[in-house]
Each structure stands twice: as structure tokens, then as C-alpha cells.
Amino acid sequence: VPTLRENKEIDYQVGQKTYKIKVAVIHPEDRKNTPYIILNHGRASEHLEQADFTYFLELGRYLTNMGFTVVIPIRVGYGRERETDIESDFPVNARTCQAKLEFGAEVMADEGRVINEFVRSLPYINPENGIMGGHSFGGAMAVAVGGHNLPGIKGIVSLSGGMGGKANSEPMCKDDTARIFENYSKLTNVPELWVYGDKDDRLKNAYQGWYDSFQKGGGTAQLVVINNGTHNIGSSERISEVSKIIKQYAIERGVISE
């Protein structure tokens, strides 16, 4: 499918300061009323690595072939022109691991709100037919957004979604993450899709406890575990398999047709 790519900036207000959220918008050429999917990046150790459009470009090509307009944001505090890392600019009373993770999740959810508002204003978008997705910390962002039931969002896709991940060790504060996901599950109205690899070196098998907590809180999610999949299932490693899983979910949610 021939596509057009536009690079745009969204104003994001925090107190008296205005930041910029950069986005790449990839949409099928000459199509109107398209469904949309927002793909949010994770939080690696290097900010340049965190803020690279290219991680999702190959998955984006698969999704535009399905008819999606694909939106890839770079959140505040990431990228070459690094600004304040607002996701970890904790208030003084956020002293526990859970409080810090909750703060970061809510900051991301608010960024997601602003990104979603922008996307729904695009002239070639169907504003009532969207999916919020993300990888790793961006997957946790998608779950947080799900708890806010944003206009137009009919699906939540979390790829290796979680918080506190560390290479080759158990994720930090994994029980706190479970409680946070359980709290969001009590608020969301949208059935979610959670996809993990069984060889995830950052999250190990913590996803099972997070999923159980989400279900316990009353949320509905489909858990898909990819055999021999690693943390980077959203990149070229298992891209065809992941795109098919997302497609089936999007069909079930009525976002796209078969």
C-alpha cells in the first residue's frame, strides 16, 4: 500500500511550560476515514535509543497494509533534544516504588490523551476507530490509557508491556506493577491484548502475575505468549506473527474488517 509520512509536533503543557511531543504519522495514501493505531516506545537506558521512530517502522508497514494510519510519538524527555524527563520528575511525596511507578504511568496516560486528541483531529482519520498500543514501558502506558477510557479508543495493545524491567534479572517492583495494573483494570471498559515472549530477558515471566492481577481487578485481556520470543517482539524479530495477532484483535474489536 503506498503511504505518506508526515513528521509533526504536538504542544504539551505542564504547569507554565510547553513541551513538544514529536510524532511520525504514516497513513495509506489517498484513503479517508482510516482506523488509527498509536505505537508508544519504551524506556531503555539511553535516551537516544528510547526515542527512535525506526523501532516501529517495520510493524507500521504491516499495519498500514491493513488500512491503519500509524502514529509513532516520541514522548517528552526523550530524543536528541532531551528535555525534562517528566515521567520521573517525581513529587516529593512519591517515596515508594509503587508511588513512583504510578506517577510515571499517569504522566504517560496524560501524554496519551493529548496525542489521541491530536490524531482524532487529522482529516483522514475515523476519530471513533482507534487503538492505543506500545512496547515495554510504552505497553504499560497503553494499559494506563485504558484506565482512562479515551474517546475513540476501541482497543489496547501491550507488547512486552511492563515497568521496572532490567536486563538479565527480575524486574524491579514487580508486585507494585501488579497492583497498578489491577487498579487500572477496575477502570477500563475495553478488552485488551497483551503479547509477550516466553524468553523475555527483561521481564522474565512477571507478565503472568501482572495478567492475573489485571483479571482479578475485573479487567478483560487476552494474553498471548510467543514461543521463543524475546523482549523485542515488536521489532523485526517476530514482526509477521505479531502483526497477525494485532490484526485478529482489531477485527474482533470492530476496528478493521476482514
Short mmCIF file of all heavy atoms in Angstrom, two decimals, residues 89-131:
data_model
loop_
_atom_site.label_atom_id
_atom_site.label_comp_id
_atom_site.label_asym_id
_atom_site.label_seq_id
_atom_site.Cartn_x
_atom_site.Cartn_y
_atom_site.Cartn_z
N ASP A 89 10.04 12.85 37.07
CA ASP A 89 10.16 14.09 37.83
C ASP A 89 9.19 14.02 39.01
O ASP A 89 8.20 14.75 39.10
CB ASP A 89 9.85 15.29 36.92
CG ASP A 89 10.17 16.62 37.58
OD1 ASP A 89 10.93 16.62 38.56
OD2 ASP A 89 9.66 17.65 37.10
N PHE A 90 9.50 13.11 39.94
CA PHE A 90 8.54 12.72 40.97
C PHE A 90 8.28 13.85 41.97
O PHE A 90 9.19 14.61 42.32
CB PHE A 90 9.07 11.52 41.76
CG PHE A 90 9.50 10.37 40.91
CD1 PHE A 90 10.81 9.92 40.92
CD2 PHE A 90 8.59 9.73 40.08
CE1 PHE A 90 11.21 8.85 40.14
CE2 PHE A 90 8.97 8.66 39.29
CZ PHE A 90 10.29 8.23 39.32
N PRO A 91 7.04 13.96 42.46
CA PRO A 91 6.78 14.87 43.58
C PRO A 91 7.46 14.35 44.84
O PRO A 91 7.79 13.16 44.94
CB PRO A 91 5.26 14.84 43.71
CG PRO A 91 4.85 13.52 43.12
CD PRO A 91 5.84 13.23 42.02
N VAL A 92 7.67 15.23 45.80
CA VAL A 92 8.44 14.86 46.99
C VAL A 92 7.75 13.76 47.80
O VAL A 92 8.41 13.01 48.53
CB VAL A 92 8.68 16.09 47.89
CG1 VAL A 92 9.62 17.06 47.21
CG2 VAL A 92 7.37 16.76 48.27
N ASN A 93 6.43 13.65 47.69
CA ASN A 93 5.73 12.64 48.49
C ASN A 93 5.69 11.26 47.81
O ASN A 93 5.13 10.32 48.35
CB ASN A 93 4.31 13.10 48.82
CG ASN A 93 3.46 13.32 47.58
OD1 ASN A 93 4.00 13.43 46.47
ND2 ASN A 93 2.15 13.41 47.74
N ALA A 94 6.28 11.16 46.62
CA ALA A 94 6.33 9.86 45.93
C ALA A 94 7.59 9.14 46.35
O ALA A 94 8.63 9.18 45.68
CB ALA A 94 6.29 10.07 44.42
N ARG A 95 7.51 8.46 47.49
CA ARG A 95 8.71 7.86 48.08
C ARG A 95 8.81 6.36 47.85
O ARG A 95 9.89 5.80 47.91
CB ARG A 95 8.75 8.15 49.59
CG ARG A 95 8.86 9.64 49.88
CD ARG A 95 8.97 9.92 51.36
NE ARG A 95 9.10 11.36 51.59
CZ ARG A 95 8.46 12.03 52.53
NH1 ARG A 95 7.65 11.38 53.33
NH2 ARG A 95 8.63 13.32 52.66
N THR A 96 7.70 5.71 47.63
CA THR A 96 7.72 4.26 47.43
C THR A 96 7.84 3.94 45.95
O THR A 96 7.56 4.77 45.08
CB THR A 96 6.45 3.61 47.98
OG1 THR A 96 5.33 4.05 47.20
CG2 THR A 96 6.24 3.98 49.45
N CYS A 97 8.24 2.71 45.68
CA CYS A 97 8.34 2.27 44.30
C CYS A 97 6.98 2.36 43.60
O CYS A 97 6.88 2.83 42.47
CB CYS A 97 8.87 0.83 44.25
SG CYS A 97 9.33 0.28 42.61
N GLN A 98 5.93 1.94 44.29
CA GLN A 98 4.61 1.98 43.68
C GLN A 98 4.19 3.41 43.38
O GLN A 98 3.65 3.70 42.30
CB GLN A 98 3.56 1.32 44.58
CG GLN A 98 2.17 1.33 43.95
CD GLN A 98 1.15 0.48 44.70
OE1 GLN A 98 1.52 -0.42 45.45
NE2 GLN A 98 -0.12 0.75 44.50
N ALA A 99 4.46 4.34 44.29
CA ALA A 99 4.09 5.73 44.06
C ALA A 99 4.82 6.31 42.86
O ALA A 99 4.25 7.06 42.06
CB ALA A 99 4.37 6.56 45.31
N LYS A 100 6.09 5.95 42.71
CA LYS A 100 6.87 6.47 41.58
C LYS A 100 6.39 5.88 40.26
O LYS A 100 6.26 6.60 39.26
CB LYS A 100 8.36 6.16 41.80
CG LYS A 100 8.97 6.96 42.94
CD LYS A 100 10.42 6.58 43.19
CE LYS A 100 11.00 7.42 44.32
NZ LYS A 100 12.40 7.07 44.61
N LEU A 101 6.10 4.58 40.26
CA LEU A 101 5.60 3.96 39.04
C LEU A 101 4.22 4.49 38.68
O LEU A 101 3.91 4.72 37.50
CB LEU A 101 5.57 2.44 39.20
CG LEU A 101 6.93 1.74 39.28
CD1 LEU A 101 6.72 0.25 39.52
CD2 LEU A 101 7.76 1.96 38.04
N GLU A 102 3.36 4.68 39.67
CA GLU A 102 2.02 5.25 39.42
C GLU A 102 2.13 6.64 38.84
O GLU A 102 1.39 7.00 37.91
CB GLU A 102 1.21 5.28 40.72
CG GLU A 102 0.67 3.95 41.14
CD GLU A 102 -0.01 4.00 42.49
OE1 GLU A 102 0.28 4.91 43.30
OE2 GLU A 102 -0.86 3.11 42.75
N PHE A 103 3.06 7.44 39.38
CA PHE A 103 3.26 8.79 38.86
C PHE A 103 3.66 8.75 37.38
O PHE A 103 3.07 9.44 36.55
CB PHE A 103 4.33 9.52 39.67
CG PHE A 103 4.66 10.88 39.14
CD1 PHE A 103 3.88 11.98 39.48
CD2 PHE A 103 5.74 11.07 38.29
CE1 PHE A 103 4.18 13.25 38.97
CE2 PHE A 103 6.04 12.33 37.78
CZ PHE A 103 5.26 13.41 38.12
N GLY A 104 4.66 7.91 37.06
CA GLY A 104 5.10 7.82 35.68
C GLY A 104 4.00 7.33 34.75
O GLY A 104 3.84 7.83 33.63
N ALA A 105 3.21 6.36 35.21
CA ALA A 105 2.12 5.84 34.39
C ALA A 105 1.07 6.91 34.11
O ALA A 105 0.55 7.01 32.99
CB ALA A 105 1.49 4.63 35.08
N GLU A 106 0.76 7.70 35.11
CA GLU A 106 -0.25 8.75 34.92
C GLU A 106 0.26 9.88 34.02
O GLU A 106 -0.51 10.44 33.24
CB GLU A 106 -0.69 9.30 36.27
CG GLU A 106 -1.71 8.43 36.98
CD GLU A 106 -2.98 8.28 36.16
OE1 GLU A 106 -3.77 9.25 36.09
OE2 GLU A 106 -3.18 7.21 35.56
N VAL A 107 1.55 10.19 34.11
CA VAL A 107 2.12 11.18 33.19
C VAL A 107 2.01 10.66 31.75
O VAL A 107 1.58 11.39 30.85
CB VAL A 107 3.59 11.47 33.53
CG1 VAL A 107 4.26 12.29 32.42
CG2 VAL A 107 3.69 12.23 34.85
N MET A 108 2.36 9.40 31.54
CA MET A 108 2.25 8.82 30.20
C MET A 108 0.80 8.78 29.73
O MET A 108 0.51 9.05 28.56
CB MET A 108 2.85 7.42 30.18
CG MET A 108 4.35 7.38 30.33
SD MET A 108 5.06 5.76 29.94
CE MET A 108 4.41 4.76 31.28
N ALA A 109 -0.12 8.46 30.62
CA ALA A 109 -1.53 8.42 30.24
C ALA A 109 -2.00 9.80 29.79
O ALA A 109 -2.79 9.93 28.84
CB ALA A 109 -2.38 7.92 31.40
N ASP A 110 -1.52 10.84 30.47
CA ASP A 110 -1.92 12.19 30.07
C ASP A 110 -1.30 12.58 28.73
O ASP A 110 -1.96 13.21 27.90
CB ASP A 110 -1.53 13.19 31.15
CG ASP A 110 -2.22 14.53 30.96
OD1 ASP A 110 -3.47 14.55 30.92
OD2 ASP A 110 -1.53 15.56 30.80
N GLU A 111 -0.05 12.19 28.50
CA GLU A 111 0.53 12.40 27.18
C GLU A 111 -0.29 11.65 26.12
O GLU A 111 -0.53 12.17 25.02
CB GLU A 111 1.98 11.93 27.17
CG GLU A 111 2.93 12.81 27.96
CD GLU A 111 4.35 12.31 27.91
OE1 GLU A 111 4.71 11.44 28.73
OE2 GLU A 111 5.11 12.80 27.04
N GLY A 112 -0.70 10.43 26.46
CA GLY A 112 -1.54 9.66 25.54
C GLY A 112 -2.84 10.37 25.22
O GLY A 112 -3.33 10.33 24.09
N ARG A 113 -3.42 11.03 26.21
CA ARG A 113 -4.65 11.80 25.99
C ARG A 113 -4.44 12.89 24.95
O ARG A 113 -5.23 13.06 24.02
CB ARG A 113 -5.12 12.42 27.31
CG ARG A 113 -6.31 13.37 27.19
CD ARG A 113 -6.59 14.08 28.50
NE ARG A 113 -5.47 14.89 28.95
CZ ARG A 113 -5.20 16.12 28.49
NH1 ARG A 113 -5.94 16.66 27.55
NH2 ARG A 113 -4.15 16.80 28.97
N VAL A 114 -3.34 13.62 25.09
CA VAL A 114 -3.05 14.73 24.18
C VAL A 114 -2.73 14.20 22.77
O VAL A 114 -3.18 14.75 21.77
CB VAL A 114 -1.88 15.57 24.72
CG1 VAL A 114 -1.43 16.61 23.71
CG2 VAL A 114 -2.31 16.26 26.03
N ILE A 115 -1.96 13.11 22.71
CA ILE A 115 -1.65 12.51 21.41
C ILE A 115 -2.93 12.04 20.73
O ILE A 115 -3.14 12.25 19.53
CB ILE A 115 -0.66 11.34 21.59
CG1 ILE A 115 0.68 11.86 22.10
CG2 ILE A 115 -0.49 10.58 20.28
CD1 ILE A 115 1.57 10.78 22.67
N ASN A 116 -3.80 11.39 21.49
CA ASN A 116 -5.06 10.90 20.92
C ASN A 116 -5.93 12.04 20.41
O ASN A 116 -6.54 11.94 19.34
CB ASN A 116 -5.81 10.08 21.97
CG ASN A 116 -7.01 9.36 21.41
OD1 ASN A 116 -6.91 8.59 20.46
ND2 ASN A 116 -8.18 9.61 21.99
N GLU A 117 -5.99 13.13 21.14
CA GLU A 117 -6.75 14.30 20.68
C GLU A 117 -6.21 14.81 19.35
O GLU A 117 -6.98 15.14 18.44
CB GLU A 117 -6.69 15.42 21.72
CG GLU A 117 -7.53 15.18 22.96
CD GLU A 117 -7.38 16.30 23.99
OE1 GLU A 117 -6.57 17.23 23.75
OE2 GLU A 117 -8.04 16.22 25.04
N PHE A 118 -4.89 14.87 19.24
CA PHE A 118 -4.28 15.33 18.00
C PHE A 118 -4.62 14.39 16.84
O PHE A 118 -5.02 14.83 15.76
CB PHE A 118 -2.76 15.41 18.17
CG PHE A 118 -1.99 15.43 16.89
CD1 PHE A 118 -1.91 16.60 16.14
CD2 PHE A 118 -1.36 14.28 16.41
CE1 PHE A 118 -1.21 16.62 14.93
CE2 PHE A 118 -0.68 14.29 15.22
CZ PHE A 118 -0.60 15.47 14.47
N VAL A 119 -4.47 13.10 17.06
CA VAL A 119 -4.71 12.13 15.99
C VAL A 119 -6.16 12.19 15.53
O VAL A 119 -6.44 12.16 14.33
CB VAL A 119 -4.34 10.70 16.46
CG1 VAL A 119 -4.69 9.68 15.38
CG2 VAL A 119 -2.86 10.62 16.80
N ARG A 120 -7.08 12.31 16.45
CA ARG A 120 -8.50 12.35 16.08
C ARG A 120 -8.88 13.59 15.29
O ARG A 120 -9.94 13.63 14.65
CB ARG A 120 -9.37 12.26 17.34
CG ARG A 120 -9.20 10.94 18.08
CD ARG A 120 -10.05 10.87 19.35
NE ARG A 120 -11.44 10.57 19.04
CZ ARG A 120 -12.47 11.26 19.46
NH1 ARG A 120 -12.29 12.36 20.19
NH2 ARG A 120 -13.69 10.88 19.16
N SER A 121 -8.01 14.59 15.31
CA SER A 121 -8.27 15.82 14.54
C SER A 121 -7.77 15.74 13.10
O SER A 121 -8.08 16.63 12.28
CB SER A 121 -7.61 17.02 15.23
OG SER A 121 -6.19 16.98 15.06
N LEU A 122 -7.02 14.71 12.76
CA LEU A 122 -6.47 14.60 11.41
C LEU A 122 -7.60 14.33 10.41
O LEU A 122 -8.50 13.53 10.68
CB LEU A 122 -5.43 13.48 11.35
CG LEU A 122 -4.17 13.71 12.20
CD1 LEU A 122 -3.30 12.45 12.21
CD2 LEU A 122 -3.38 14.91 11.71
N PRO A 123 -7.56 14.96 9.23
CA PRO A 123 -8.71 14.91 8.32
C PRO A 123 -8.98 13.56 7.69
O PRO A 123 -10.09 13.30 7.22
CB PRO A 123 -8.33 15.95 7.24
CG PRO A 123 -6.84 16.05 7.31
CD PRO A 123 -6.48 15.84 8.74
N TYR A 124 -7.99 12.67 7.66
CA TYR A 124 -8.17 11.37 7.00
C TYR A 124 -8.45 10.25 8.00
O TYR A 124 -8.47 9.08 7.65
CB TYR A 124 -6.94 11.03 6.16
CG TYR A 124 -5.62 11.39 6.83
CD1 TYR A 124 -5.05 10.57 7.79
CD2 TYR A 124 -4.97 12.58 6.51
CE1 TYR A 124 -3.87 10.91 8.41
CE2 TYR A 124 -3.78 12.94 7.12
CZ TYR A 124 -3.23 12.10 8.07
OH TYR A 124 -2.06 12.45 8.68
N ILE A 125 -8.67 10.60 9.28
CA ILE A 125 -8.87 9.63 10.36
C ILE A 125 -10.36 9.44 10.64
O ILE A 125 -11.14 10.38 10.57
CB ILE A 125 -8.17 10.15 11.64
CG1 ILE A 125 -6.66 10.08 11.50
CG2 ILE A 125 -8.62 9.39 12.88
CD1 ILE A 125 -6.12 8.67 11.49
N ASN A 126 -10.73 8.20 10.98
CA ASN A 126 -12.00 7.96 11.62
C ASN A 126 -11.79 8.15 13.12
O ASN A 126 -11.15 7.30 13.76
CB ASN A 126 -12.51 6.55 11.34
CG ASN A 126 -13.83 6.24 12.01
OD1 ASN A 126 -14.25 6.93 12.95
ND2 ASN A 126 -14.51 5.20 11.56
N PRO A 127 -12.28 9.24 13.70
CA PRO A 127 -11.92 9.55 15.10
C PRO A 127 -12.53 8.61 16.12
O PRO A 127 -12.19 8.69 17.31
CB PRO A 127 -12.45 10.98 15.27
CG PRO A 127 -13.56 11.09 14.28
CD PRO A 127 -13.14 10.26 13.10
N GLU A 128 -13.42 7.74 15.70
CA GLU A 128 -14.05 6.80 16.64
C GLU A 128 -13.51 5.39 16.50
O GLU A 128 -14.11 4.44 17.01
CB GLU A 128 -15.58 6.80 16.41
CG GLU A 128 -16.23 8.16 16.51
CD GLU A 128 -15.95 8.85 17.85
OE1 GLU A 128 -15.87 8.15 18.88
OE2 GLU A 128 -15.78 10.08 17.84
N ASN A 129 -12.35 5.24 15.84
CA ASN A 129 -11.89 3.90 15.49
C ASN A 129 -10.38 3.77 15.69
O ASN A 129 -9.63 3.65 14.74
CB ASN A 129 -12.25 3.61 14.03
CG ASN A 129 -12.70 2.18 13.81
OD1 ASN A 129 -13.00 1.47 14.76
ND2 ASN A 129 -12.74 1.77 12.56
N GLY A 130 -9.96 3.80 16.97
CA GLY A 130 -8.54 3.80 17.25
C GLY A 130 -8.10 2.73 18.22
O GLY A 130 -8.90 2.16 18.98
N ILE A 131 -6.80 2.46 18.20
CA ILE A 131 -6.15 1.56 19.14
C ILE A 131 -4.96 2.28 19.75
O ILE A 131 -4.20 2.96 19.04
CB ILE A 131 -5.67 0.26 18.44
CG1 ILE A 131 -6.87 -0.62 18.06
CG2 ILE A 131 -4.71 -0.54 19.33
CD1 ILE A 131 -6.50 -1.87 17.28
#
